Amino acid sequence: MATVRLKPGSLWRRWDPHIHAPGTVFNDQFGGDGSWEEYLTRIEQSSPRIEALGITDYFSLDIYEEVCDWKSNGRLSEVGLIFPNVELRYAVGTAKGAPVNFHLLISPDDPEHATQARRFLEGLTFKSGDETYRCRRDELIRLGRSHSGQHLDEKAAHREGANQFKIEVDAFIGAWNDNTWIQKNALIAVSASSKDGSAGLQGDASLAALRRKIENIAHIIFSSQPKQRDFWLGQGVETADNLTRIYGGPKPCLHGSDAHDLKKVAQPDKQRYCWVKGDTCFETLKQACLEPEFRVALSESKPQGAFESQTITSISMQNSDWFGDEPIALNGGLVGVIGARGSGKTALADMIAAGAYALSPHANDRSFVRRAQADNLLTGAKSILSWADGSSTDNALDCVDLEDVLDYPRVQYLSQQFVERLCSSAGATDELIAEIERVIFTSHPVESRMGAENFGELLELVAARGRQSRQRYEESIHGVGRRITDQMERKAALSRAPRLIGSDGAIGTTTEAAASFRRTD
C-alpha cells in the first residue's frame, strides 16, 4: 500500500489577488497578444514567488479562462491556485468622479464555476432610456453602440458598454441574496481607494449610509494602507465589537499589483506583497475572512514566527521500515495533528518529543514508544529532527530509558496520557496546579521574570509589591480614621461644655469672663 505523506500545514504564501492580463477591457497597455510570453514569464520569475492569482477583468471571465489555458499547456507550474476576479462598478460616483469599484472573487472548485458565475452576472442589469441591458458581452456591445454609435467595432463597443454599465447597490444585494450558488462560491471585495473606492464617498455626508451599506456587504477590503488595515481589524478608531455591530465584523485587507502593463506585473505599490497563510486553495481565502489578523499580511517579506532555533522543519526516522524513508515536513505554526483514531497521531507526537529530548517523563506502559519497544518495532530506530537554523537532534528509541542529553528539553511535551492524568481527578490536584504554574512561568520572557527561577519565586516578587502598597494604604487609611475620630471627640466635648450668656446677650463657653456672663443652665 502506498504511503500517504502528510502536508506541512498552513504556510505563508504570496498571493496576487488583483492582477489584469493582456486583453483586459480597460486601460490595456500590455501590447496585444504578443505580450503573453513576457507576462507569464514575469509571474513565473516573481520574487518572492507568486503561488495564487486572482485574474481580473471587468464584467467578464474570458481573460481568466485564457490564463487557465496557458496553465493547462504547462505555464505557471508553481502557481497552485488561479481564480476569477470579476471587477464591477456600483452606480454611485466618488468625489473624484469615478464610480465605486467592487469585485467578485469566485472559487474555481466547482467544475461549472464559470457557467454559474456568468449566469449570476447575466442577472445584473443596467437601464438606459427604455432599454434594459444585461451583464454579458453581447449586451455590453449593444449598450456601447447604442450610446456612442453603431459604427463602433466589436472591441470598442464592448469597452464603451462596459464603461457605461453600472449596478445599483440594492439591486446587487438582492441578486446576491437570491442566488445560493454565488453565496457559497464567491466573496465580495470593495476598493477602499479615495479615487474609485468607498473612501471616495466620505466627503458627502448624505452618502454615509450608502457607504456603510457597501462596506457592510463586502467580505474583503482592497487596500494596502496600514491605517486601513488597522481600522478593519478593529485596532484603529473602531473596536472589533463596533466593527461587528456596524460592518458585520473585522475584514482582511488584500492588495495586488493591479497590473495594466508588463512593468506592473507582480509589482504592487511600495512592495506591499500580499501574504496569505494556508494552502493554495479558495478555502484559505474564506478562512482569512474569519481570521483576518492572523491569516493576511501586507509586507515586503513573509511574516516570521518563532526563532529558527526553536522551529522544527521536519522529522524523519532511521532504521524504521514502518515510518518510511521520506521525512515529514512540519511548519513553525503547527498546533495540531488531525487524523482518525489509530492513524498514528500519538506516534508522531511521541517521535517529535523523543527527537527533542522531551519524551522520557511521559514514557509509560500506555505510551506508543513503550508498546512499540515491546513489539520490537524500534530496534535500532532513531528519531531525527531538523531545525530551521540548520541544526538537527536525534534520539535512540530502542533503549528502556530514553536518552535525555540536555538539562532542558528542546520542546515542552504534554502527552495524551499526561493530560488525562491531570484532568482525571475531581478538583485541582497538586500536579495540575504545578503544570499550570510552569506553563504560566515559561510564557513570560526571561527578561520579565525578575531573576526568578520558578513560578513560586516570581509570584513572591510580584506579590511583595502588592503587599507593600496595601500596607501603605492601610496605614494611610488608619491615620485618616484616627484624625476623624479626634475631630468627632472634640465636637462632642464642645456640646457638653457649660454655656455662658454675656450681659450683651452673647453666648460663650469660657468661665474666665464670669464677671460679664451669667450661668444659664
Side-chain angles (χ1 to χ4, degrees), residues 184-331:
K184 291 182 178 179
N185 293 275
L187 296 169
I188 304 169
V190 65
S191 168
S193 167
S194 60
K195 177 182 178 182
D196 57 7
S198 59
L201 305 178
Q202 64 185 355
D204 190 336
S206 67
L207 298 177
L210 182 60
R211 179 188 181 187
R212 179 174 296 183
K213 182 185 296 186
I214 290 172
E215 294 173 337
N216 182 279
I217 63 172
H219 305 100
I220 293 168
I221 306 298
F222 271 148
S223 174
S224 66
Q225 300 299 321
K227 288 186 178 180
Q228 285 278 2
R229 185 176 188 272
D230 289 344
F231 176 88
W232 288 109
L233 291 179
Q235 299 172 357
V237 296
E238 295 286 2
T239 64
D241 289 341
N242 283 343
L243 287 182
T244 300
R245 178 176 56 85
I246 301 172
Y247 299 101
K251 304 177 191 288
C253 285
L254 268 60
H255 182 52
S257 59
D258 193 13
H260 284 262
D261 59 60
L262 292 172
K263 291 182 179 179
K264 281 284 292 180
V265 171
Q267 297 296 326
D269 294 338
K270 299 181 180 181
Q271 293 184 307
R272 288 174 178 166
Y273 303 127
C274 183
W275 301 95
V276 182
K277 189 178 184 182
D279 292 338
T280 49
C281 63
F282 200 80
E283 285 299 316
T284 294
L285 205 54
K286 291 183 178 180
Q287 189 65 32
C289 294
L290 301 176
E291 302 177 285
E293 182 178 359
F294 306 107
R295 294 278 177 173
V296 177
L298 302 175
S299 58
E300 185 174 352
S301 57
K302 72 173 63 177
Q304 298 298 316
F307 293 116
E308 291 185 345
S309 61
Q310 300 176 358
T311 302
I312 304 171
T313 57
S314 67
I315 176 174
S316 58
M317 294 286 290
Q318 190 178 83
N319 302 323
S320 180
D321 295 337
W322 57 269
F323 189 89
D325 298 329
E326 295 293 326
I328 294 177
L330 307 175
N331 76 73

Side-chain angles (χ1 to χ4, degrees), residues 20-85:
H20 293 264
T24 187
V25 172
F26 294 134
N27 195 25
D28 182 4
Q29 302 178 45
F30 289 103
D33 291 342
S35 61
W36 273 106
E37 175 62 31
E38 185 175 351
Y39 175 84
L40 298 168
T41 299
R42 282 177 174 267
I43 295 174
E44 292 167 340
Q45 296 179 355
S46 58
S47 180
R49 189 62 49 84
I50 295 174
E51 299 185 60
L53 285 172
I55 302 300
T56 310
D57 204 10
Y58 302 89
F59 307 100
S60 172
L61 286 81
D62 295 348
I63 300 297
Y64 155 74
E65 291 181 317
E66 194 165 351
V67 173
C68 289
D69 289 340
W70 283 104
K71 182 170 176 60
S72 298
N73 291 325
R75 303 304 299 267
L76 305 177
S77 60
E78 294 190 35
V79 177
L81 173 67
I82 300 176
F83 61 92
N85 176 344

